[in-house]
Amino acid sequence: MTTYQSRLRGREEVAEGTMAFHLEKPAGFQFKAGQYVDISLINPPETDSQGIIRSFSIASAPYENELLVVTRMRNSAFKRVLSVLPLGTEVKLEGPMGSFTLHKNRVKAAVFLAGGIGITPFLSMIRQAAEEKFPQLLYLFYSNRRPKDAAFLKDLEVLSQLNGNCAFIPSMSEMDKSKLDWQGERGFINREMLLRHMDGLKGPIYYVAGPPAMVAAMREMLTNAGVEEDDIRTEEFGGY
Ligand SMILES: Cc1cc2nc3c(=O)[nH]c(=O)nc-3n(C[C@H](O)[C@H](O)[C@H](O)COP(=O)(O)OP(=O)(O)OC[C@H]3O[C@@H](n4cnc5c(N)ncnc54)[C@H](O)[C@@H]3O)c2cc1C
């Protein structure tokens, strides 16, 4: 694994309590959409028992000239420091790591199941697919509590409209707690929801990313529906 120096170039809120961090892409840094990096803070002003390193999926696409990471802002020392880190501050990157990347057989569809911030690896894959005009069918099911919790909702709608091979199905599980109007799917992702948008469940490769409980529930749902274990790939975002 290679270590790189990078710098924080910008940050903004992209959903409630959710921040995107723009990092300089170090010279020679190459990755595949879906991979992640370990980010280390250098001499942070405070730390806690969880330490100074966190893993983040890269949400930008390989063709872009920056590295984007996106996270729910919790009250850990790491995130308190990251949230106020002066622009231009150096951070250490290790990676890229992971094999949560799109299969090469473009004839086989991919179904992405994202729970909340689990959207990050799929954002990278979908941006890269749009850039390279992949002929592959992609389905993105994106589950959040409310629209204001769903990072990149608008961008994903636009991306799926531009890429005729990409179906985007956002779903909200707590619209009773939202003041916004919502015409789309409601509730957790389940077999019935998948079947409303796909012609059967067997055949595609399934990719699931999100908190461990969500990943376990999706795996169980898929295997109960007859999807082969070999056709299910997962990335657990521990710490949520
Ligand atoms: C491959 C990978 C990719 C990830 N990508 C993203 C991403 O794109 N965006 C994002 O927001 N997060 C991502 N995460 C999760 C991220 O690394 C942090 O764990 C998460 O953001 C919580 O950090 P925190 O500072 O809020 O809480 P922490 O201070 O890290 O911890 C909160 C609580 O969770 C527990 N915990 C911490 N880490 C783990 C773990 N790995 N497994 C089980 N329990 C744990 C701690 O003991 C503590 O009780 C990813 C994780 C992995 C492994």
Side-chain angles (χ1 to χ4, degrees):
M1 197 192 324
T2 316
T3 302
Y4 297 88
Q5 301 295 321
S6 174
R7 282 179 197 278
L8 181 64
R9 287 292 175 216
R11 78 182 134 235
E12 77 263 352
E13 191 171 58
V14 288
E16 189 164 278
T18 308
M19 303 236 13
F21 296 88
H22 300 260
L23 300 168
E24 201 173 78
K25 191 175 185 178
F29 185 93
Q30 289 190 334
F31 71 102
K32 290 186 185 146
Q35 287 193 297
Y36 68 97
V37 281
D38 277 354
I39 299 186
S40 303
L41 300 172
I42 301 170
N43 300 320
E46 62 161 327
T47 186
D48 61 19
S49 60
Q50 301 303 318
I52 58 165
I53 307 176
R54 293 291 184 284
S55 303
F56 293 108
S57 299
I58 304 168
S60 47
Y63 79 88
E64 293 177 291
N65 59 11
E66 65 164 8
L67 298 178
L68 183 72
V69 298
V70 187
T71 189
R72 300 286 199 218
M73 297 311 289
R74 307 289 192 219
N75 196 21
S76 63
F78 181 96
K79 290 184 180 174
R80 280 197 298 273
V81 172
L82 194 62
S83 67
V84 294
L85 208 61
L87 299 187
T89 303
E90 229 174 63
V91 293
K92 193 173 95 181
L93 302 182
E94 275 189 277
M97 290 175 275
S99 53
F100 194 68
T101 55
L102 197 56
H103 55 277
K104 290 210 172 79
N105 181 354
R106 302 276 179 242
V107 176
K108 235 179 184 344
V111 180
F112 303 141
L113 308 181
I117 199 62
I119 193 63
T120 47
F122 302 134
L123 202 56
S124 179
M125 292 184 203
I126 284 179
R127 283 172 162 170
Q128 190 67 25
E131 172 70 12
E132 291 189 31
K133 300 195 169 36
F134 285 176
Q136 192 167 18
L137 276 181
L138 306 175
Y139 297 85
L140 171 60
F141 291 83
Y142 183 24
S143 173
N144 280 274
R145 293 195 171 100
R146 301 156 303 172
K148 68 176 180 178
D149 301 310
F152 301 104
L153 196 56
K154 280 273 165 288
D155 305 63
L156 288 163
E157 274 164 11
V158 171
L159 273 170
S160 77
Q161 281 157 9
L162 290 176
N163 179 355
N165 295 328
C166 178
F168 177 46
I169 306 103
S171 182
M172 301 299 151
S173 60
E174 294 186 9
M175 278 312 290
D176 51 320
K177 296 186 183 139
S178 174
K179 293 191 181 91
L180 295 175
D181 186 32
W182 182 250
Q183 303 298 330
E185 287 282 3
R186 291 173 184 236
F188 294 130
I189 300 167
N190 59 25
R191 177 188 179 150
E192 293 68 36
M193 190 189 292
L194 297 184
L195 284 170
R196 277 197 289 281
H197 301 275
M198 298 164 55
D199 304 327
L201 300 186
K202 291 186 195 168
I205 305 283
Y206 290 81
Y207 296 81
V208 188
M214 179 267 176
V215 172
M218 293 297 104
R219 182 183 281 284
E220 191 184 345
M221 181 269 290
L222 291 170
T223 48
N224 286 346
V227 175
E228 299 284 334
E229 282 281 351
D230 273 358
D231 291 342
I232 307 172
R233 304 180 186 172
T234 61
E235 191 83 291
E236 286 187 6
F237 287 12
Y240 286 111

